């Protein structure tokens, strides 16, 4: 099975957290709470074995690990007496598997993806989620697995700059391919992830039928050809910050970008120069996985996951970085001014589809080659 977790997206979320904290846009308390909802972990020495009295949580923090260490450990320790440490080294499926199979497990909880959770479960290196402690009803549909459970949500969304479009703004992917009424440059990701879905919907395919349409070689090639048709109007982005800068510098009028970056742009662009629609968005949940034989033990880490389901914490995470709550009960608690930017609000979920890891596991490599060829040649 192909690795389908979007590691770049997760690393980008961590970068956003660091930047917001540095800018003073996040209070220490707020950042800790948000990280708790996201499940960010403390830093570890790479050779050190975990202390069985503390929980080691691993995410894609990079430079954020020191901040996460400070805020996350303090908060959780204060509430439970259990120390929590953040390791931002990136829990790829390969690392988790190697750690478990070597018998040198130092991580207790990892921020992963649905595809990876399935791969790791099949390999026998992760533990089942104990749903007598972790509440399934506090997780969005489609984000509950035997050996993994949703912790937050982000989306691939349609963003635009109405100022560059004569006051208009595309409302659908079909509009994005309409260069006559919506002239200007577009931006799409270098990777095929989250992109083919928009091209398929631009041909009139209903969101619920997208992956069925992409289930054949002809369906994939038709979607790829849509990018070939737009090639002269496309600037690609490789990282979340690149997509953000393309809008800030007004190099593009339209784009398929992560909702977390849209969350930042809404505050950085002048009034009337930026908008987002979740219509036709692709929802991608982050998934907790617990390595087999984790040092702190199963029960303790399950209690931590349950703690991170707290609706108020998940709302703070949305406000801080733009990650949507995985707990549906959080939606009503989101401030009114934030509702339209929440990728997991009932209204926005109704217009989106869930990222299909099974499809990517089967088709990503071949589709990626065709996609790059369409953009370059």
């Amino acid at each position: 099975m192909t690795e389908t977790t979007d590691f770049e997206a997760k690393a980008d979320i961590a970068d956003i957290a660091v930047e917001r904290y540095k800018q003073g846009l996040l209070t220490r308390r707020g950042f800790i709470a948000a990280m708790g909802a996201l499940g960010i972990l403390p830093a570890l020495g790479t050779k050190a074995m975990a202390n069985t009295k503390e929980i080691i949580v691993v995410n894609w923090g990079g430079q954020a690990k020191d901040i996460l260490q400070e805020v996350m450990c303090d908060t959780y320790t204060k509430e439970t007496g259990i120390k929590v440490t953040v390791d931002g080294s990136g829990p790829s499926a390969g690392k988790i598997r190697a750690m478990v199979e070597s018998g040198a497990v130092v991580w207790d909880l990892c921020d992963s993806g649905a595809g990876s959770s399935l791969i790791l479960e099949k390999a026998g290196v992760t533990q089942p989620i104990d749903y007598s402690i972790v509440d399934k009803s506090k997780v969005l549909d489609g984000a509950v697995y035997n050996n993994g459970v949703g912790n937050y949500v982000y989306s691939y969304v349609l963003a635009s700059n109405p100022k560059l479009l004569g006051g208009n703004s595309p409302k659908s992917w079909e509009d994005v391919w309409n260069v006559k009424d919506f002239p200007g440059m577009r931006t799409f990701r270098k990777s095929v992830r989250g992109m083919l879905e928009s091209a398929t919907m631009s041909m009139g395919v209903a969101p619920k039928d997208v992956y069925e349409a992409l289930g054949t070689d002809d369906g994939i090639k038709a979607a790829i050809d849509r990018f070939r048709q737009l090639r002269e109007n496309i600037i690609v982005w490789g990282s979340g910050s690149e997509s953000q800068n393309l809008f800030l510098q007004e190099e593009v009028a339209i784009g398929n970008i992560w909702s977390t970056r849209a969350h930042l742009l809404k505050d950085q662009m002048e009034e009337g120069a930026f908008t987002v629609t979740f219509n036709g968005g692709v929802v991608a949940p982050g998934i907790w996985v617990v390595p087999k034989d984790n040092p702190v033990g199963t029960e303790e880490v399950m209690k931590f996951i349950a703690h991170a389901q707290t609706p108020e914490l998940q709302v703070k995470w949305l406000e801080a970085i733009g990650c949507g709550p995985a707990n549906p009960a959080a939606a009503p608690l989101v401030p009114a001014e934030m509702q339209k930017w929440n990728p997991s609000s009932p209204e926005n979920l109704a217009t989106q589809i869930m990222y299909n890891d099974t499809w990517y596991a089967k088709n990503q490599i071949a589709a990626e080659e065709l996609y790059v060829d369409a953009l370059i040649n």
Side-chain angles (χ1 to χ4, degrees), residues 74-369:
D74 292 349
T75 300
Y76 196 72
T77 299
K78 184 176 180 179
E79 293 186 6
T80 67
I82 302 297
K83 184 179 180 181
V84 179
T85 303
V86 175
D87 179 351
S89 61
S92 70
K95 287 183 181 178
I96 295 171
R97 182 168 184 168
M99 184 179 291
V100 174
E101 292 182 343
S102 67
V105 180
V106 297
W107 294 341
D108 293 295
L109 183 61
C110 302
D111 180 14
S112 189
S116 291
S117 74
L118 295 173
I119 291 171
L120 294 169
E121 178 183 355
K122 186 176 182 180
V125 296
T126 55
Q127 302 183 44
I129 300 299
D130 186 344
Y131 287 110
S132 71
I133 298 175
V134 178
D135 191 341
K136 282 185 179 180
S137 72
K138 295 181 179 178
V139 187
L140 290 171
D141 290 341
V144 176
Y145 298 88
N146 291 333
N147 287 32
V149 62
N151 52 1
Y152 61 90
V153 168
Y154 63 94
S155 297
Y156 295 85
V157 295
L158 168 52
S160 62
N161 182 343
K163 193 178 93 174
L164 299 180
L165 296 168
N168 296 321
S169 185
K171 302 296 189 298
S172 68
W173 295 113
E174 189 173 357
D175 290 342
V176 175
W177 264 262
N178 180 355
V179 295
K180 178 182 178 182
D181 296 327
F182 300 95
M185 298 302 292
R186 283 87 164 121
T187 186
F188 294 93
R189 191 181 181 186
K190 287 180 181 177
S191 169
V192 75
R193 296 171 190 258
M195 302 296 112
L196 285 190
E197 294 89 337
S198 59
T200 301
M201 283 183 261
S202 78
M203 295 184 285
V205 176
K208 65 181 179 60
D209 298 326
V210 164
Y211 286 110
E212 180 180 350
L214 290 172
T216 65
D217 289 343
D218 286 345
I220 294 173
K221 289 177 181 177
I224 294 291
D225 188 58
R226 294 291 279 170
F227 291 100
R228 191 172 285 106
Q229 295 169 20
L230 266 188
R231 189 167 53 197
E232 301 303 319
N233 297 83
I234 293 177
I235 302 175
V236 296
W237 57 269
S239 67
S241 61
E242 286 181 6
S243 68
Q244 187 177 349
N245 287 333
L246 287 170
F247 273 98
L248 286 172
Q249 295 167 12
E250 298 190 340
E251 293 188 46
V252 298
I254 303 171
N256 183 337
I257 65 175
W258 288 321
S259 60
T260 44
R261 286 292 166 177
H263 177 84
L264 300 181
L265 284 164
K266 68 179 175 49
D267 298 324
Q268 296 173 333
M269 302 286 285
E270 65 179 78
E271 187 173 351
F274 186 76
T275 187
V276 159
T277 174
F278 284 87
N279 183 30
V282 180
V283 179
I287 301 290
W288 287 129
V289 299
V290 181
K292 187 178 180 181
D293 300 324
N294 69 300
V296 81
T298 302
E299 182 176 356
E300 200 58 60
V301 76
M302 294 299 162
K303 289 179 179 177
F304 178 84
I305 294 174
H307 170 78
Q309 292 183 303
T310 304
E312 289 79 7
L313 296 180
Q314 297 202 353
V315 171
K316 289 181 178 178
W317 176 240
L318 171 68
E319 294 175 325
I321 303 179
C323 292
N327 185 348
L333 306 180
V334 175
E337 67 274 15
M338 284 294 302
Q339 292 283 356
K340 66 176 289 189
W341 302 98
N342 178 11
S344 59
S345 72
E347 294 78 12
N348 288 332
L349 283 176
T351 67
Q352 300 179 90
I353 59 173
M354 188 68 77
Y355 185 89
N356 189 325
D357 284 277
T358 302
W359 186 91
Y360 277 97
K362 180 180 178 182
N363 299 290
Q364 181 175 332
I365 294 176
E368 192 90 38
E369 292 179 357

